[in-house]
Amino acid sequence: MTDPLSPEEIDRYRRHIVLAEIGGAGQQRLKQANVLVVGAGGLGAPVIQYLAAAGIGHIGVIDDDTVSLSNLQRQVIHDTAGLGAPKVESAAAAVARLNPHVRFTGIVKRIDAENAAGLLAGYDILVDGSDNFDTRYTSADAAEAAGIPLVTGAVGRFDGSLTVLKPYEAGADGVLYPGYRDLFPTAPPPGVVPACAEAGIVGALTGVIGTLMAMEVIKLVTAAGEPLVGRLLLYDGLAARFETLKYRRRNIGT
């Protein structure tokens, strides 16, 4: 049983608590939540910041990289003083400064097919902010096997996308919701999608998509609104345009 919100927490989260869609009960659910984030980079940084600010009780972060100067243009959870430090250590320090009520677990490794099940144990939601398809497929498979929602996003130059996956659960029509492979059946060949180091990326874009990913987590935890299940949200930064595409299971019999 989680401790009730303290007077300091009630004051901290007052703007949540006055929302009818969240309220005290929703804030208590945020405090009880365990969320695992893959990547403390461009997408992971705003996700971690806003989940910590929102009062997620336990945030785990998987990342095996260190902070470099070229990260700081978009990975706003890190700073110049942290250059060379493991990103999970830098993220832990940022979370501690922002909200002392959040428990942080840093995991300095990469998620793969062998360790995924163990890494996800005890978490309610997985957030994938990785920058490669191997990790995205691994994260999707692991979340589906664990029966927990996956919030996944991607960015490139001036555009981004995100969706929520719950392929272990059926909708009102009795059909299972789609999985990652229903949206992306196979990964593109190596070299077809250039890394941001080659193609470039505007830093604020990762803030837009990462913040939307954090919003989806908050909705899932508090049951506020309609998560992006079976819907892919697309953002064109140059045109300042959002679009939403619906998608479904390719084989509705499974």
Short mmCIF file of all heavy atoms in Angstrom, two decimals, residues 197-228:
data_model
loop_
_atom_site.label_atom_id
_atom_site.label_comp_id
_atom_site.label_asym_id
_atom_site.label_seq_id
_atom_site.Cartn_x
_atom_site.Cartn_y
_atom_site.Cartn_z
N ALA A 197 23.32 11.75 -36.52
CA ALA A 197 24.67 12.30 -36.67
C ALA A 197 24.99 12.57 -38.13
O ALA A 197 25.78 13.45 -38.45
CB ALA A 197 25.69 11.34 -36.08
N GLU A 198 24.34 11.80 -39.02
CA GLU A 198 24.57 11.97 -40.46
C GLU A 198 23.57 12.94 -41.08
O GLU A 198 23.93 13.81 -41.87
CB GLU A 198 24.47 10.62 -41.17
CG GLU A 198 25.44 9.58 -40.64
CD GLU A 198 25.10 8.18 -41.15
OE1 GLU A 198 24.12 8.04 -41.90
OE2 GLU A 198 25.82 7.24 -40.78
N ALA A 199 22.29 12.79 -40.72
CA ALA A 199 21.23 13.57 -41.36
C ALA A 199 20.97 14.89 -40.64
O ALA A 199 20.43 15.81 -41.24
CB ALA A 199 19.94 12.75 -41.40
N GLY A 200 21.33 14.97 -39.35
CA GLY A 200 21.01 16.15 -38.56
C GLY A 200 19.62 16.06 -37.95
O GLY A 200 18.77 15.28 -38.40
N ILE A 201 19.39 16.85 -36.93
CA ILE A 201 18.07 16.90 -36.30
C ILE A 201 17.96 18.19 -35.52
O ILE A 201 18.92 18.64 -34.89
CB ILE A 201 17.85 15.67 -35.38
CG1 ILE A 201 16.41 15.64 -34.84
CG2 ILE A 201 18.85 15.66 -34.23
CD1 ILE A 201 16.05 14.34 -34.16
N VAL A 202 16.79 18.84 -35.59
CA VAL A 202 16.59 20.05 -34.81
C VAL A 202 16.27 19.64 -33.37
O VAL A 202 15.44 18.75 -33.13
CB VAL A 202 15.48 20.93 -35.43
CG1 VAL A 202 14.13 20.24 -35.40
CG2 VAL A 202 15.40 22.27 -34.73
N GLY A 203 16.96 20.25 -32.43
CA GLY A 203 16.86 19.80 -31.04
C GLY A 203 15.45 19.87 -30.47
O GLY A 203 15.01 18.97 -29.75
N ALA A 204 14.72 20.95 -30.77
CA ALA A 204 13.40 21.13 -30.19
C ALA A 204 12.42 20.04 -30.62
O ALA A 204 11.44 19.76 -29.92
CB ALA A 204 12.85 22.50 -30.55
N LEU A 205 12.68 19.41 -31.77
CA LEU A 205 11.80 18.34 -32.24
C LEU A 205 11.72 17.20 -31.24
O LEU A 205 10.64 16.65 -30.98
CB LEU A 205 12.30 17.81 -33.59
CG LEU A 205 11.59 16.56 -34.12
CD1 LEU A 205 10.16 16.89 -34.51
CD2 LEU A 205 12.36 15.98 -35.30
N THR A 206 12.86 16.82 -30.67
CA THR A 206 12.84 15.72 -29.71
C THR A 206 12.03 16.11 -28.46
O THR A 206 11.42 15.26 -27.82
CB THR A 206 14.26 15.32 -29.29
OG1 THR A 206 14.92 16.42 -28.68
CG2 THR A 206 15.07 14.86 -30.50
N GLY A 207 12.02 17.40 -28.14
CA GLY A 207 11.20 17.87 -27.04
C GLY A 207 9.72 17.74 -27.32
O GLY A 207 8.93 17.36 -26.45
N VAL A 208 9.32 18.04 -28.56
CA VAL A 208 7.91 17.92 -28.95
C VAL A 208 7.45 16.47 -28.82
O VAL A 208 6.45 16.17 -28.15
CB VAL A 208 7.69 18.42 -30.39
CG1 VAL A 208 6.26 18.14 -30.85
CG2 VAL A 208 7.99 19.90 -30.51
N ILE A 209 8.19 15.55 -29.45
CA ILE A 209 7.76 14.15 -29.46
C ILE A 209 7.93 13.51 -28.08
O ILE A 209 7.05 12.77 -27.62
CB ILE A 209 8.54 13.36 -30.53
CG1 ILE A 209 8.33 13.98 -31.91
CG2 ILE A 209 8.12 11.90 -30.53
CD1 ILE A 209 6.88 14.03 -32.37
N GLY A 210 9.04 13.80 -27.41
CA GLY A 210 9.25 13.23 -26.09
C GLY A 210 8.21 13.68 -25.08
O GLY A 210 7.75 12.90 -24.24
N THR A 211 7.81 14.95 -25.15
CA THR A 211 6.78 15.45 -24.24
C THR A 211 5.43 14.79 -24.53
O THR A 211 4.68 14.45 -23.60
CB THR A 211 6.66 16.97 -24.36
OG1 THR A 211 7.92 17.57 -24.08
CG2 THR A 211 5.63 17.52 -23.39
N LEU A 212 5.12 14.57 -25.80
CA LEU A 212 3.89 13.85 -26.15
C LEU A 212 3.93 12.42 -25.65
O LEU A 212 2.91 11.87 -25.21
CB LEU A 212 3.68 13.89 -27.66
CG LEU A 212 3.28 15.23 -28.26
CD1 LEU A 212 3.37 15.20 -29.78
CD2 LEU A 212 1.86 15.61 -27.82
N MET A 213 5.11 11.79 -25.68
CA MET A 213 5.24 10.44 -25.15
C MET A 213 4.97 10.42 -23.64
O MET A 213 4.28 9.53 -23.13
CB MET A 213 6.64 9.89 -25.46
CG MET A 213 6.88 9.63 -26.94
SD MET A 213 8.62 9.34 -27.34
CE MET A 213 8.87 7.71 -26.61
N ALA A 214 5.51 11.41 -22.93
CA ALA A 214 5.24 11.51 -21.49
C ALA A 214 3.75 11.70 -21.24
O ALA A 214 3.19 11.14 -20.28
CB ALA A 214 6.05 12.66 -20.89
N MET A 215 3.10 12.48 -22.07
CA MET A 215 1.66 12.70 -21.93
C MET A 215 0.90 11.39 -22.07
O MET A 215 -0.06 11.13 -21.32
CB MET A 215 1.18 13.71 -22.97
CG MET A 215 -0.29 14.06 -22.88
SD MET A 215 -0.66 14.95 -21.35
CE MET A 215 -2.44 15.09 -21.48
N GLU A 216 1.31 10.54 -23.02
CA GLU A 216 0.64 9.26 -23.19
C GLU A 216 0.82 8.37 -21.96
O GLU A 216 -0.10 7.65 -21.57
CB GLU A 216 1.16 8.55 -24.45
CG GLU A 216 0.74 9.22 -25.75
CD GLU A 216 -0.77 9.32 -25.89
OE1 GLU A 216 -1.44 8.27 -25.87
OE2 GLU A 216 -1.27 10.46 -26.01
N VAL A 217 2.00 8.41 -21.34
CA VAL A 217 2.22 7.64 -20.11
C VAL A 217 1.28 8.12 -19.02
O VAL A 217 0.64 7.32 -18.32
CB VAL A 217 3.68 7.75 -19.65
CG1 VAL A 217 3.87 7.08 -18.29
CG2 VAL A 217 4.62 7.12 -20.67
N ILE A 218 1.18 9.42 -18.85
CA ILE A 218 0.31 9.98 -17.82
C ILE A 218 -1.14 9.57 -18.06
O ILE A 218 -1.88 9.22 -17.13
CB ILE A 218 0.47 11.51 -17.75
CG1 ILE A 218 1.87 11.86 -17.25
CG2 ILE A 218 -0.60 12.14 -16.87
CD1 ILE A 218 2.24 13.33 -17.39
N LYS A 219 -1.58 9.58 -19.32
CA LYS A 219 -2.93 9.15 -19.64
C LYS A 219 -3.14 7.67 -19.32
O LYS A 219 -4.19 7.28 -18.78
CB LYS A 219 -3.21 9.41 -21.12
CG LYS A 219 -3.42 10.88 -21.47
CD LYS A 219 -3.23 11.15 -22.95
CE LYS A 219 -4.17 10.34 -23.82
NZ LYS A 219 -3.94 10.60 -25.26
N LEU A 220 -2.17 6.85 -19.63
CA LEU A 220 -2.29 5.43 -19.34
C LEU A 220 -2.39 5.17 -17.84
O LEU A 220 -3.20 4.35 -17.39
CB LEU A 220 -1.08 4.67 -19.91
CG LEU A 220 -1.03 4.49 -21.43
CD1 LEU A 220 0.35 4.04 -21.86
CD2 LEU A 220 -2.09 3.48 -21.90
N VAL A 221 -1.59 5.87 -17.07
CA VAL A 221 -1.57 5.65 -15.62
C VAL A 221 -2.86 6.13 -14.97
O VAL A 221 -3.43 5.46 -14.10
CB VAL A 221 -0.35 6.33 -14.98
CG1 VAL A 221 -0.43 6.24 -13.45
CG2 VAL A 221 0.95 5.70 -15.47
N THR A 222 -3.33 7.29 -15.38
CA THR A 222 -4.49 7.91 -14.72
C THR A 222 -5.82 7.57 -15.38
O THR A 222 -6.87 7.91 -14.84
CB THR A 222 -4.34 9.44 -14.71
OG1 THR A 222 -4.33 9.93 -16.06
CG2 THR A 222 -3.06 9.87 -14.00
N ALA A 223 -5.77 6.89 -16.54
CA ALA A 223 -6.99 6.56 -17.30
C ALA A 223 -7.71 7.81 -17.78
O ALA A 223 -8.94 7.82 -17.96
CB ALA A 223 -7.93 5.67 -16.49
N ALA A 224 -6.96 8.88 -18.01
CA ALA A 224 -7.53 10.11 -18.54
C ALA A 224 -7.44 10.10 -20.05
O ALA A 224 -6.40 9.80 -20.62
CB ALA A 224 -6.78 11.32 -17.98
N GLY A 225 -8.55 10.39 -20.72
CA GLY A 225 -8.52 10.51 -22.17
C GLY A 225 -8.37 9.20 -22.90
O GLY A 225 -8.60 8.12 -22.35
N GLU A 226 -7.95 9.29 -24.15
CA GLU A 226 -7.85 8.14 -25.04
C GLU A 226 -6.40 8.00 -25.52
O GLU A 226 -5.93 8.81 -26.31
CB GLU A 226 -8.78 8.33 -26.24
CG GLU A 226 -8.77 7.16 -27.21
CD GLU A 226 -9.65 7.41 -28.42
OE1 GLU A 226 -10.36 8.44 -28.46
OE2 GLU A 226 -9.64 6.57 -29.35
N PRO A 227 -5.68 6.98 -25.07
CA PRO A 227 -4.30 6.79 -25.53
C PRO A 227 -4.23 6.51 -27.03
O PRO A 227 -5.23 6.13 -27.65
CB PRO A 227 -3.82 5.59 -24.71
CG PRO A 227 -4.78 5.47 -23.57
CD PRO A 227 -6.08 5.97 -24.09
N LEU A 228 -3.05 6.66 -27.59
CA LEU A 228 -2.84 6.47 -29.03
C LEU A 228 -2.70 4.98 -29.38
O LEU A 228 -1.76 4.57 -30.06
CB LEU A 228 -1.59 7.23 -29.49
CG LEU A 228 -1.73 8.75 -29.62
CD1 LEU A 228 -0.35 9.39 -29.77
CD2 LEU A 228 -2.60 9.10 -30.83
#
